[in-house]
Amino acid sequence: MTEYKEKVRYRIGWITGTALTLSACAAGPDYRAPAPATLGVPPVYSQGETGAVDEAGLASWWTRLGDPTLSGLIDRAIANNLDIVQAQARLRQARESLRQARAAFLPQVNGSASGGRNYSNQDAGGRLDPSGNPIGGGSSNWSSSYSVGANASWQVDLFGELSRSAQAARADLAASGYDLANVRMTIISELVTNYVQARLAQEQLRVARETQAIQQDNYRIAVWRLQAGLVSSLDEQQAKAQLAQTNATIPQLEASLRGSLNRIAVLTGQAPGEATRTLETPAPIPTASTQIAVGIPADTLRQRPDVRSAERALAAATARIGVAQAQLYPSLGISGNIGTTSNSFKDLFSLITGGIFANVAQLIFDGGRLASQVRSQRAATEGAFAAYKQSVLTALEDVENAMASLSSARARKAAFATAYEASNNAAIMARSQYQSGLIDFQTLSQTENTLLSARNSLAAAQSDEVLAIAQLYNALGGGWQDMEKSSPNEQKQ
């Protein structure tokens, strides 16, 4: 018996050792991340500050706007936004897929047990009545039966099908983590945009109502001058038309404000209405910092989660080439079983039987199906590389466009500040001269319309500067670096 056990252990060890040796040869190409040169990445950006990027500042860039209300809204959105919740669920799904892939490396063991009573009716004479029932001489017997058994099977990873599947699952998990980061980054940017638009609408409403009050006063003056016979009804009608046009802009601005507030409520995971009631109190447009260091393009590839997700998708597609290719080669499975059967429970383990088997299978003919799957996966990998390169170029484009928008907004802001100062001085003089009868209402109207346009344009330029900064930080990949370490290390392959 001892000698038999030694032979069994020897055979199991030989089979296992051979399998492990063969499994070291994984089918398919080993993945290597493409070099930046193959992606068309330039050494520097065409504009902007090229200093090193502040990683801590990039992670919470919105705090530089100096608006605690905005920071509180972003914290609420990160915690409650439903798009983020969905992305977190997809990340958990990918994590479980990796666990399932890893489980394939281990043997599968099943156990069973049964017990019961069997009944048999035996007729000694074999005689039957007219109805076909046994007549006398029969005996009825009850007997018991019990069995316990277990069987195990193990798929040996001869040519790396399982290891490549695990590599693909790890890459998918990392990609899901970066997708979550990208969703979070997008939500933050959208929230900042709507918050700034809400404050802009409040500023424009303030300007419109102040202008409305001035134009109401101008209308009263025009009516008084008409009644005094100093002017014709033309002045009165022009003043009335100007006031009505200003009145017409207010409902539109109020609707714009309400739309931004409703969007903020949804972004923070709440129903529109009461959730943003406190934001209805007017507040200034956030101010922007002066300089932003954008680093070099290679930094952006590391910082942008959508680019890193695309790179992980390429890694997963490359690993699946090996999965498809391994199916062309022989497969080895090892199985074993052990069990016992008895008519008496006390004798159940008196006799135990078992066995171990190895099975080698090789596809002979399938009409080229598996070879076609390999070619299909190679094509999918080529597409994944193109998608990765596209994401890189798009990221670089986003940064360049954001820098151009920021430069434009700052130049317009400076020009509109000068225009506002000059228009305000001109409007003050025009009102005084109109009240004195030195100019007609048409001149006053043109002057005040210029002032209204300058005030609105300056407020819009101020908001455009903040929005351009938000666009630039989003293009640089800011807003996710301080996430909980829920995504796997992308270097694990």
Side-chain angles (χ1 to χ4, degrees):
M1 184 65 179
T2 303
E3 183 180 355
Y4 172 76
K5 291 181 178 179
E6 290 294 332
K7 289 181 179 180
V8 170
R9 281 197 290 266
Y10 171 78
R11 290 172 182 173
I12 294 175
W14 181 85
I15 293 173
T16 304
T18 303
L20 292 175
T21 301
L22 291 173
S23 65
C25 306
D30 292 327
Y31 176 73
R32 296 290 182 271
T38 64
L39 302 171
V41 179
V44 294
Y45 288 111
S46 63
Q47 53 188 321
E49 297 290 326
T50 58
V53 177
D54 178 11
E55 294 286 347
L58 192 64
S60 56
W61 60 266
W62 56 89
T63 60
R64 296 189 170 190
L65 301 179
D67 194 319
T69 301
L70 174 59
S71 297
L73 289 172
I74 290 176
D75 291 340
R76 195 182 309 165
I78 292 173
N80 302 321
N81 181 268
L82 296 180
D83 287 328
I84 293 178
V85 172
Q86 294 177 60
Q88 289 171 337
R90 290 191 292 270
L91 177 62
R92 291 194 298 271
Q93 279 185 291
R95 185 175 293 115
E96 296 306 321
S97 295
L98 175 58
R99 289 171 178 163
Q100 294 165 24
R102 287 173 172 169
F105 286 96
L106 303 175
Q108 179 175 326
V109 181
N110 298 307
S112 63
S114 64
R117 296 273 289 170
N118 301 315
Y119 171 79
S120 65
N121 189 321
Q122 183 179 9
D123 179 30
R127 294 173 296 156
L128 302 176
D129 65 13
S131 300
N133 298 316
I135 301 175
S139 61
S140 299
N141 298 307
W142 286 89
S143 62
S144 301
S145 65
Y146 302 94
S147 66
V148 175
N151 59 77
S153 61
W154 179 36
Q155 178 67 39
V156 181
D157 193 21
L158 277 181
F159 295 99
E161 179 180 358
L162 301 181
S163 59
R164 294 300 191 196
S165 295
Q167 287 178 12
R170 277 195 296 271
D172 286 339
L173 175 56
S176 295
Y178 295 132
D179 289 341
L180 169 59
N182 191 53
V183 170
R184 167 175 158 154
M185 190 179 72
T186 302
I187 293 302
I188 291 172
S189 177
E190 187 177 358
L191 182 57
V192 171
T193 298
N194 281 275
Y195 181 82
V196 172
Q197 289 174 342
R199 296 311 188 194
L200 172 61
Q202 289 174 338
E203 175 64 18
Q204 290 176 332
L205 276 170
R206 184 181 70 84
V207 171
R209 285 168 179 149
E210 290 178 357
T211 303
Q212 183 186 49
I214 293 173
Q215 291 175 349
Q216 183 71 43
D217 189 50
N218 290 341
Y219 176 65
R220 285 194 297 268
I221 294 174
V223 171
W224 175 81
R225 288 170 64 85
L226 174 63
Q227 293 173 346
L230 300 176
V231 296
S232 68
S233 60
L234 177 63
D235 280 15
E236 184 263 342
Q237 291 299 314
Q238 286 178 332
K240 184 177 182 179
Q242 185 186 52
L243 176 60
Q245 288 177 345
T246 300
N247 291 341
T249 63
I250 291 177
Q252 183 179 10
L253 292 172
E254 290 175 337
S256 176
L257 172 60
R258 176 51 53 193
S260 295
L261 294 180
N262 291 342
R263 187 59 189 153
I264 289 172
V266 174
L267 288 171
T268 54
Q270 302 173 89
E274 192 62 34
T276 55
R277 193 71 64 196
T278 58
L279 296 179
E280 294 178 2
T281 302
I285 298 172
T287 56
S289 58
T290 55
Q291 298 295 332
I292 301 175
V294 298
I296 60 175
D299 293 335
T300 302
L301 306 190
R302 178 175 52 83
Q303 295 156 0
R304 287 271 296 235
D306 57 335
V307 173
R308 297 174 75 168
S309 175
E311 187 272 333
R312 291 289 83 200
L314 174 59
T318 304
R320 290 190 175 98
I321 295 176
V323 175
Q325 192 168 331
Q327 294 176 359
L328 294 170
Y329 305 138
S331 62
L332 172 62
I334 299 175
S335 61
N337 62 75
I338 187 171
T340 179
T341 302
S342 176
N343 291 331
S344 173
F345 184 79
K346 65 179 182 179
D347 297 327
L348 183 60
F349 296 99
S350 298
L351 177 62
I352 299 177
T353 60
I356 185 170
F357 309 93
N359 175 60
V360 177
Q362 169 63 55
L363 175 70
I364 297 176
F365 178 77
D366 69 345
R369 179 179 61 87
L370 292 182
S372 176
Q373 289 179 358
V374 175
R375 294 192 297 270
S376 175
Q377 190 54 49
R378 289 188 183 277
T381 303
E382 292 173 1
F385 174 77
Y388 175 43
K389 186 173 182 178
Q390 180 70 23
S391 71
V392 169
L393 298 181
T394 300
L396 301 179
E397 178 189 19
D398 290 345
V399 175
E400 294 283 2
N401 289 343
M403 287 190 290
S405 296
L406 181 56
S407 176
S408 172
R410 284 174 171 167
R412 288 187 290 109
K413 176 183 172 183
F416 282 130
T418 302
Y420 167 66
E421 183 179 3
S423 299
N424 188 49
N425 293 333
I428 293 173
M429 291 186 290
R431 290 190 201 104
S432 176
Q433 291 175 2
Y434 178 70
Q435 291 175 0
S436 301
L438 300 178
I439 60 174
D440 59 11
F441 188 82
Q442 181 67 29
T443 303
L444 174 63
S445 175
Q446 291 175 349
T447 303
E448 290 190 339
N449 285 338
T450 301
L451 174 60
L452 176 62
S453 176
R455 292 184 72 182
N456 284 329
S457 297
L458 177 59
Q462 291 172 338
S463 69
D464 286 346
E465 181 185 18
V466 180
L467 293 177
I469 287 176
Q471 178 187 358
L472 179 55
Y473 275 118
N474 192 64
L476 291 173
W480 68 278
Q481 287 79 0
D482 61 349
M483 283 176 57
E484 292 182 358
K485 305 302 182 181
S486 56
S487 59
N489 188 334
E490 67 170 317
Q491 300 301 324
K492 294 180 180 179
Q493 300 176 20

